[in-house]
Amino acid sequence: MSESSRKAEALTRAEKAVLGEIWTSGEAYDNLVYLCDWIGNRWAGSESERQAAEYLLEKARQYGLQDVTTQEFRHDGWTRGPVRLEVVSPVAREVAAIALPYSPPADLEGEVVWVGQGEEEDFKRLEGQIAGKIVLSAAEASPGAGQRSSHRREKFARAIAAGAIAFLFANQNPGMMAITGSLTAGFPAEIPGLGLPKESGDYIVRLLKSGPVRLRIHVEARFAPTSSLNVIGRVGTASLDGPFLIVGGHYDAHDVAVGALDNAAGAVVCLEAARALATVADDLPMPVRVVLFACEEVGLLGAWHYAEQAKHELDRCRFVLNIDTAARGSPGNENLNLCGFPDLVPYFEKVGQEMRYEFPVKDGLSAYADHFPFAVAGVPNATMGATDASSGLIGRGWGHTAADTVDKVSPKALQASAATAARLLLRLAFEENWPGQHRTREEMATTIANSPIGWYVEKFGRYPFQPM
Ligand SMILES: [Zn+2]
C-alpha cells in the first residue's frame, strides 16, 4: 500500500472514531449548562470569568489534553452602574436603555438625530446636522446577499467623527431586548454610548416626526485594572517543532447575559472537538493547539495577547479555526468565514463535499472575532459560525441581549458543530497538498487598507478593536 493510501485510511479511521465519540457524548451540552446556569455571565475580568477559566482548565485536563495551562494578561475592566435615559421634550418620559461597555460616566442633555442604519451614506446625508447632538443608530441588521452592513464600532466612529456628544444603539429585534456590545477594546470610549431595545428606539423615532426631541443621559460606570486568563492546551504527540493547527473559541460573554450562543457554545464545541481528537492523539500528523480565549467581547483582548505571545512560531501554524456562535438553531447550520484568504474558498468547499457534509464557505474581511489577530499576522484562518433563519430575528438575534440563554441551544446543534470542527481539523492535519500560503503582515495590511474598514484604520491609526 502506498504511503498516501495508508494516510487516507488512517484519516478515515480517525474520523469515524472521532464522530462516534462526539455523537455518543453529552459533554458539550453539560459544559454549556454549567458555564451558563451555574457560573454565569463570564464578563471580562470578573470573578465569574475566572471561575469559568478554572472549570475549563480542569475539563481540558480530564479530557487528556497536554500542556494544559492558563495564560494571564492584564487589562482595564469596566463595571456598569446605574443608567437613565429620559426624553425631556416634547414630553417627559424615561425610556429603557443600558450602558454600552466602556462608556464613560456621563450626565448630559442634547437634541437627538436619527441616522437610520448608521452607514456612511446616512452620515453624509446628515452632514453638518450632527455636531453637538446625540446620535441614534440602528443596531445590526442582516445584510442582503453580497452586501455588507457596518459593525457597531464603525457606526460609533462615524458619530464621533461627526461631532456627536453621545451614541444610542437600538436593537432591530422586538421584545424589549436592550442590545449591548463594547464601544472600544478595553479603554474608555471617546463619548458615552447606550444600548436600547427596539421599542425605545422606535419611540424616539416616532417622536422625531413631530419635531426636535431632547434627551437627558445619565451613566455611571467604574474602570479598574484587572486580569483574565486564556486557557490553553494541546492535542497530539507529533513533533512540536513542525507545523501545527490552532482551534479556539472565546468563553467570556457580556455582563447582561449568560452568552449561551455567544459564546459558551463555541467554547464547549472547541473543547468537545479537542476531547474527541485526544482519543486519536497518536494518529494526528501534527499537533492541534487549543485556546479558549478570554475577553473577546471587549475587543478580542485574549486573542491579541495569544497571537502576540506566539508570534515567533505563527509561521509554522497551518491554520487557525475559530469557533464563534456556531450552534445557532437546528443542527447543521454551520458556515465557514475565511478572513483574507479567498483562494482557500474552493478548497474548503471541496472538503465539505468529501465529508458529505456541505456548508457555506466565504471570504471577507471581518475584524470582529478572535481570528482577526491571526489574520493580521498573515496566518490562514477562519471563523466557524452558524445562521438561524428560523428564529425570525435579524442581525445578532438573541446575541448580545439578556435573552442569550441556555434554552436557545440544542445538544444536537452542539454535537453537529463539534463534529464539523473536529473533522475539519483532522482533514487539515492529514492534508498532504495543503494549498494555504502565509502572507506577510505588510500584504495583510494592504488587504485591510483596501477593505471596508480601510477608512477606519486610516482615520484612527488602529484596527476597530485593538487594545491600546
Ligand atoms: Zn462571540
Side-chain angles (χ1 to χ4, degrees):
M1 203 193 305
S2 74
E3 174 60 23
S4 80
S5 50
R6 236 191 309 274
K7 248 189 151 175
E9 264 190 20
L11 169 62
T12 305
R13 242 191 345 264
E15 204 165 11
K16 287 181 178 175
V18 160
L19 285 175
E21 195 59 53
I22 289 169
W23 285 103
T24 52
S25 161
E27 288 291 315
Y29 189 72
D30 292 349
N31 288 336
L32 177 116
V33 170
Y34 195 81
L35 287 174
C36 297
D37 285 354
W38 294 86
I39 293 181
N41 64 30
R42 312 178 306 285
W43 173 238
S46 69
E47 184 51 36
S48 162
E49 191 194 40
R50 184 140 307 230
Q51 277 172 23
E54 276 157 20
Y55 177 78
L56 293 166
L57 188 77
E58 185 50 38
K59 283 287 164 188
R61 286 195 177 123
Q62 256 178 40
Y63 294 161
L65 276 66
Q66 289 163 294
D67 297 339
V68 175
T69 185
T70 54
Q71 187 183 55
E72 186 165 23
F73 57 93
R74 297 200 64 76
H75 58 97
D76 275 329
W78 180 91
T79 308
R80 67 176 67 251
V83 64
R84 215 175 146 82
L85 174 64
E86 292 165 281
V87 177
V88 291
S89 74
V91 289
R93 183 173 303 178
E94 183 172 355
V95 286
I98 59 174
L100 294 176
Y102 292 86
S103 172
D107 219 345
L108 60 86
E109 198 181 303
E111 207 179 291
V112 61
V113 191
W114 165 238
V115 299
Q117 292 299 316
E119 296 295 342
E120 194 183 344
E121 57 269 23
D122 296 312
F123 280 88
K124 254 212 174 93
R125 176 166 47 82
L126 293 160
E127 206 173 327
Q129 300 170 53
I130 292 173
K133 295 183 185 158
I134 297 165
V135 158
L136 170 62
S137 168
E140 287 90 354
S142 297
Q147 287 179 328
R148 178 184 188 275
S149 68
S150 293
H151 186 271
R152 166 184 68 257
R153 176 69 215 187
E154 296 163 41
K155 301 179 186 196
F156 182 55
R158 291 187 186 109
I160 297 166
I165 56 169
F167 178 71
L168 308 180
F169 194 57
N171 199 345
Q172 297 303 285
N173 292 309
M176 283 309 283
M177 299 190 294
I179 192 163
T180 193
S182 186
L183 292 171
T184 71
F187 51 86
E190 296 85 342
I191 57 173
L194 302 184
L196 277 56
K198 180 179 198 299
E199 290 79 0
S200 294
D202 284 4
Y203 174 57
I204 295 169
V205 171
R206 281 199 306 279
L207 285 181
L208 278 167
K209 289 187 177 141
S210 324
V213 176
R214 285 187 73 78
L215 303 176
R216 184 178 300 137
I217 293 174
H218 177 78
V219 183
E220 293 175 39
R222 192 161 50 82
F223 294 82
T226 181
S227 69
S228 290
L229 304 170
N230 288 331
V231 178
I232 57 185
R234 170 173 56 85
V235 178
T237 49
S239 165
L240 301 182
D241 303 324
F244 63 91
L245 300 169
I246 293 177
V247 62
H250 73 89
Y251 68 89
D252 66 301
H254 273 288
D255 62 342
V256 298
V258 293
L261 286 163
D262 184 10
N263 188 36
V268 302
V269 160
C270 176
L271 191 59
E272 180 67 354
R275 187 187 69 80
L277 291 172
T279 65
V280 296
D282 292 341
D283 302 323
L284 293 177
M286 64 179 70
V288 180
R289 295 199 196 173
V290 182
V291 194
L292 300 167
F293 299 108
C295 295
E296 190 269 355
E297 297 293 4
V298 296
L300 328 176
L301 303 187
W304 283 111
H305 182 77
Y306 182 89
E308 173 62 24
Q309 296 296 306
K311 68 177 176 204
H312 58 284
E313 47 189 5
L314 284 180
D315 56 332
R316 288 191 289 112
C317 177
R318 178 173 274 193
F319 196 78
V320 176
L321 178 65
N322 178 48
I323 305 170
D324 203 335
T325 322
R328 272 189 189 158
S330 45
N333 286 339
E334 299 85 21
N335 52 45
L336 195 70
N337 300 294
L338 292 146
C339 178
F341 291 83
D343 45 318
L344 290 177
V345 170
Y347 173 79
F348 282 104
E349 285 174 344
K350 189 168 106 314
V351 165
Q353 287 158 11
E354 286 169 2
M355 283 166 48
R356 302 286 196 273
Y357 191 92
E358 293 184 50
F359 44 84
V361 184
K362 65 179 189 347
D363 178 83
L365 211 292
S366 161
Y368 305 108
D370 286 327
H371 62 266
F372 187 65
F374 301 95
V376 167
V379 186
N381 70 88
T383 286
M384 190 177 98
T387 44
D388 174 22
S390 69
S391 70
L393 303 178
I394 61 168
R396 291 180 187 273
W398 313 112
H400 287 206
T401 77
D404 185 359
T405 44
V406 170
D407 49 288
K408 311 301 186 307
V409 184
S410 80
K412 283 183 191 168
L414 292 176
Q415 286 172 316
S417 291
T420 309
R423 295 177 82 186
L424 283 174
L425 291 164
L426 273 179
R427 280 161 188 272
L428 284 161
F430 274 83
E431 182 57 69
E432 289 185 311
N433 302 302
W434 169 238
Q437 300 281 339
H438 281 69
R439 304 177 64 193
T440 64
R441 284 180 183 266
E442 293 68 34
E443 283 168 346
M444 287 309 296
T446 306
T447 300
I448 295 166
N450 294 324
S451 79
I453 61 162
W455 68 272
Y456 185 100
V457 179
E458 194 179 336
K459 186 165 184 63
F460 294 89
R462 59 199 309 107
Y463 300 118
F465 280 129
Q466 186 179 9
M468 287 285 191

